[in-house]
């Protein structure tokens, strides 16, 4: 069995997926995705980089967040997972993988577009973990709308509530608990630089997340809390089949990258591990692009 440290060709490390047209109601489940995603459950090998850390990860039930949760556990962290109540089956699966890896997992279902939940989530995670020194703001919603005229104010507001207001709220509640050495990593997107015309609300929130990351990084540097971001390109996750892409676009998803294929969630995990690990001590306000080679600023 190869792992993420095996010398291998990135073009062929994973097959180029050609997902059949499919649809799931938002938020979508990894469990029902065709083909299945690779979240590293069979391949991610820890090397002790997050020994004893206490991490809260939002959107940790599926896709990128699930891959990050598995990697954090294998690197030695206990993990609190936030997700929507409808995602219980995916969350239970990740919890059992974490426990089988010898770490503790705590589940906190709830809606991050609700301000009160954001505050409660942090309090509950701190109580369960016995503190907090790593936060990954990864939850997000992405709903494609073909025509600008059809982008409703409701959708605009809900996307902002979920994708960026929640990051402010969760971070604001978390920072008072975080000792020097702690880290925050935010999931942004290539959409921050190259907005698709059918993702105007989503792409705008991702640009805001990049900017917030650079500003907050400076604000917290003297406290010894480092803030960074990861900007994924096209990654095969449930986000894409719950209206994240026009259905007709699914079979071609990610094939226009220089690597010629969509990424798998587990390929994102090492970027989050690096930015959370003490080894990145001089990296602050940075956004790591993990996108198969598309040039980004
Ligand atoms: P995903 O659907 O597996 O994960 C998104 C998660 O966000 C969901 O599992 C859900 O738990 C959470 N979420 C959404 N709305 C929520 C709410 N109101 N309250 C609580 N949780 C909520 O998809 P993913 O692709 O792994 O997405 C993870 C992050 O990566 C997102 O921020 C997304 O914008 C970003 N991203 C993904 C891609 C990609 O191609 N998949 C590309 C760039 C950025
Ligand atoms: Mg999910």
């Amino acid at each position: 069995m190869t792992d993420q440290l095996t010398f291998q060709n990135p073009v062929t490390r994973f097959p180029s997926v050609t997902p059949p047209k499919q649809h799931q109601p938002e938020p979508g489940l990894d469990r029902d995705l065709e083909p299945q995603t690779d979240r590293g459950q069979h391949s991610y090998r820890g090397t002790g980089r997050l020994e004893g850390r206490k991490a809260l990860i939002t959107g940790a039930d599926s896709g990128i967040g699930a891959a990050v949760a598995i990697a954090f556990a294998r690197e030695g962290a206990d993990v609190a997972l936030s997700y929507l109540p409808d995602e219980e089956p995916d969350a239970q699966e990740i919890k059992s993988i974490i426990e089988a890896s010898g770490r503790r997992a705590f589940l906190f279902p709830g809606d991050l577009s609700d301000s009160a939940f954001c505050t409660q989530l942090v309090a509950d995670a701190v109580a369960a973990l016995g503190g907090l020194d790593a936060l990954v703001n990864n939850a997000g919603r992405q709903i494609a709308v073909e025509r600008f005229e059809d982008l409703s104010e409701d959708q605009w507001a809900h996307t902002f509530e979920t994708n960026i207001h929640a990051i402010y709220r969760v971070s604001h509640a978390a920072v008072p608990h975080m000792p020097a050495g702690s880290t925050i990593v935010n999931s942004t997107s290539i959409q921050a630089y190259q907005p698709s015309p059918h993702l105007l609300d989503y792409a705008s929130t991702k640009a805001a997340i990049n900017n917030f990351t650079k500003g907050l990084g400076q604000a917290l540097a003297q406290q010894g809390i480092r803030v960074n971001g990861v900007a994924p390109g096209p990654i095969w996750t449930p986000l894409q089949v719950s209206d994240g892409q026009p259905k007709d676009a699914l079979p071609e998803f990610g094939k226009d990258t220089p690597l010629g294929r969509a990424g798998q969630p587990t390929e994102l995990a090492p970027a989050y591990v690096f930015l959370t690990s003490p080894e990145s001590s001089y990296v602050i306000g940075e956004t790591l692009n993990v996108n198969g080679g598309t040039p980004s600023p």
Side-chain angles (χ1 to χ4, degrees):
M1 167 56 82
T2 58
D3 59 41
Q4 84 279 13
L5 300 174
T6 306
F7 183 73
Q8 56 196 317
N9 183 345
V11 176
T12 52
R13 179 180 176 196
F14 293 104
S16 175
V17 291
T18 305
K21 290 180 196 174
Q22 58 197 291
H23 183 261
Q24 292 187 38
E26 197 191 349
L29 289 177
D30 251 327
R31 189 184 64 174
D32 299 333
L33 212 51
E34 195 193 340
Q36 285 284 293
T37 66
D38 195 320
R39 286 153 280 162
Q41 61 272 44
H42 302 302
S43 61
Y44 191 95
R45 174 160 67 93
T47 53
R49 294 157 87 189
L50 303 177
E51 210 54 61
R53 297 288 294 273
K54 302 171 168 75
L56 168 60
I57 304 173
T58 67
D61 56 297
S62 60
I64 296 166
V68 172
I70 291 169
F72 275 28
R74 300 261 167 94
E75 296 288 357
D78 288 336
V79 186
L81 296 86
S82 137
Y83 55 97
L84 285 164
D86 286 351
E87 299 174 303
E88 193 62 34
D90 277 355
Q92 288 292 347
E93 184 184 347
I94 302 310
K95 180 176 192 276
S96 59
I97 295 171
I98 291 172
E99 288 172 348
S101 309
R103 305 307 312 190
R104 298 188 303 157
F106 303 98
L107 299 184
F108 298 108
D111 187 343
L112 288 166
S113 67
D114 169 2
S115 172
F117 174 73
C118 294
T119 321
Q120 192 60 47
L121 168 66
V122 171
D124 291 347
V126 167
L129 293 164
L132 183 67
D133 57 35
L135 170 63
V136 177
N137 288 308
N138 166 74
R141 77 190 292 264
Q142 171 185 323
I143 304 293
V145 175
E146 215 167 297
R147 297 169 67 246
F148 172 59
E149 290 85 338
D150 296 330
L151 174 56
S152 68
E153 184 166 353
D154 256 11
Q155 165 156 338
W156 180 270
H158 193 200
T159 303
F160 270 74
E161 285 287 345
T162 307
N163 291 14
I164 176 73
H165 296 181
I167 290 186
Y168 155 74
R169 288 171 180 145
V170 172
S171 304
H172 198 254
V175 163
H177 297 282
M178 299 180 102
S182 299
T183 53
I184 299 175
V185 182
N186 299 321
S187 289
T188 166
S189 170
I190 191 171
Q191 289 286 328
Y193 320 108
Q194 299 177 18
S196 297
H198 56 274
L199 295 176
L200 296 180
D201 51 336
Y202 174 85
S204 302
T205 65
K206 293 301 177 178
I209 293 168
N210 259 352
N211 191 285
F212 180 72
T213 299
K214 291 186 190 311
L216 189 64
Q218 296 174 69
L220 300 182
Q222 270 301 313
Q223 285 163 244
I225 301 175
R226 296 184 300 108
V227 186
N228 288 289
V230 175
I235 311 303
W236 180 232
T237 71
L239 195 74
Q240 309 301 347
V241 304
S242 48
D243 294 318
Q245 296 290 332
K247 235 179 290 176
D248 291 344
L250 283 180
E252 290 305 305
F253 183 66
K255 292 197 192 298
D256 60 351
T257 60
L259 274 188
R261 63 172 178 84
Q264 289 292 334
T266 191
E267 295 184 279
L268 274 291
Y272 291 81
V273 168
F274 169 67
L275 293 172
T276 299
S277 151
E279 73 202 301
S280 59
S281 54
Y282 211 58
V283 183
I284 294 171
E286 182 57 75
T287 296
L288 266 184
N289 297 292
V290 186
N291 64 24
T294 305
S296 303

